[in-house]
Amino acid sequence: MIAAFIALLPVFLVIVVGYALRRTKLIGDDHWVAVDHLCYYVLFPAIIFKEIAGADFTGVPVWSMAFAMMLAIIVMSSALLLLRNPIQVAMKLDGPSYSSFFQGATRWHTFIALAIIPSYFGQSALALGGLAAAAMTPLLNVINVAVISYTAKGSAPSGAVLFKAMVRNPFILATVGAILWRALSLPTPELGLKTLSIIGSGALGLAL
C-alpha cells in the first residue's frame, strides 16, 4: 500500500498543481483545449510507444499473456452486455449513461498502472505492462466504440465506422507502430527512449 502511494504521489501532486492553475486562471479555459489535444494525440501515445518498443520481453510468455488479457476483456464485456437491462434498471441509467458505465468497467488506466508496476515488481516488469497495453488497447477501443454507438445512438456501427475509429485513434496507432518497430528489429536508442520518457512525464503533468 505504501509503495503504491509513493508511486502515485507525483501524479496526485500534479493534479493539485493543475487544479490550482485552473482555479487561479493562470492558464485560461481556452488554452486547456489545446493542452488536451496535445496530450491525447502526441504525448500519451509517446508513452505507449516507448513502453512497448523499449520493453525487454526476454523470458516473458508473450502470447499466453496477450491471450489472457484479451480473454479477460471479452469475458468482462460480454457479462456487462448480458446484464445490461438489469444494470440499467437497478442504476436508473439511460443509453448514454450506460455507455459511460461500460467504459468505466472495462477500460484500464494505462498510465497509473505503468507508474505502480516498477514499485511493486521492479523495472523489468514494465515489459509486462507494455505487453498488456499492446494486447488490450486496440481491442478495448473497438469494443467501446461499438458499445457507445449502439447504446448512445441506438444503432450498431458499420465496419467503416469501426475502421475509421481504429485508424484515427492515436493509442492504437502508437501500439501498432511499436509492435511493427519491434517486429522489424529496429534500434531503440537510449537517447530516444529517454526523450520519450520526458515527453510522457509532460503528458501526465499537462493532462492531470
Side-chain angles (χ1 to χ4, degrees):
M1 185 67 183
I2 295 177
F5 175 78
I6 294 175
L8 294 177
L9 182 59
V11 177
F12 290 125
L13 291 177
V14 168
I15 292 174
V16 172
V17 172
Y19 177 78
L21 291 173
R22 190 68 175 265
R23 292 288 295 178
T24 58
K25 301 294 183 179
L26 190 60
I27 297 180
D29 291 341
D30 53 336
H31 290 92
W32 284 111
V33 175
V35 170
D36 288 341
H37 278 75
L38 177 63
C39 291
Y40 183 77
Y41 288 103
V42 179
L43 303 183
F44 279 166
I47 296 178
I48 294 177
F49 184 92
K50 178 257 180 183
E51 294 301 340
I52 297 174
D56 181 9
F57 291 121
T58 304
V60 176
V62 174
W63 295 111
S64 298
M65 182 173 175
F67 176 76
M69 297 289 98
M70 296 172 72
L71 181 61
I73 292 172
I74 292 172
V75 171
M76 183 63 173
S77 299
S78 299
L80 290 171
L81 291 175
L82 288 173
L83 297 173
R84 176 189 169 190
N85 288 334
I87 291 174
Q88 286 191 250
V89 171
M91 301 184 68
K92 299 179 180 179
L93 302 175
D94 57 11
S97 297
Y98 176 80
S99 70
S100 297
F101 173 86
F102 185 91
Q103 289 187 77
T106 55
R107 290 183 180 275
W108 71 307
H109 202 306
T110 311
F111 316 110
I112 296 297
L114 294 178
I116 293 177
I117 287 173
S119 297
Y120 270 99
F121 306 105
Q123 196 70 22
S124 60
L126 275 175
L128 297 176
L131 175 57
M136 293 192 291
T137 300
L139 180 59
L140 274 171
N141 279 276
V142 170
I143 291 176
N144 276 272
V145 167
V147 171
I148 291 170
S149 179
Y150 183 77
T151 57
K153 300 179 181 178
S155 61
S158 64
V161 171
L162 289 176
F163 178 75
K164 287 181 180 180
M166 289 184 64
V167 299
R168 292 177 178 177
N169 188 291
F171 295 167
I172 292 179
L173 293 177
T175 300
V176 173
I179 292 173
L180 290 176
W181 189 279
R182 295 187 65 93
L184 295 173
S185 299
L186 296 175
T188 51
E190 187 64 25
L191 177 60
L193 294 178
K194 288 183 178 180
T195 301
L196 289 177
S197 296
I198 294 172
I199 291 174
S201 299
L204 288 174
L206 290 171
L208 297 176

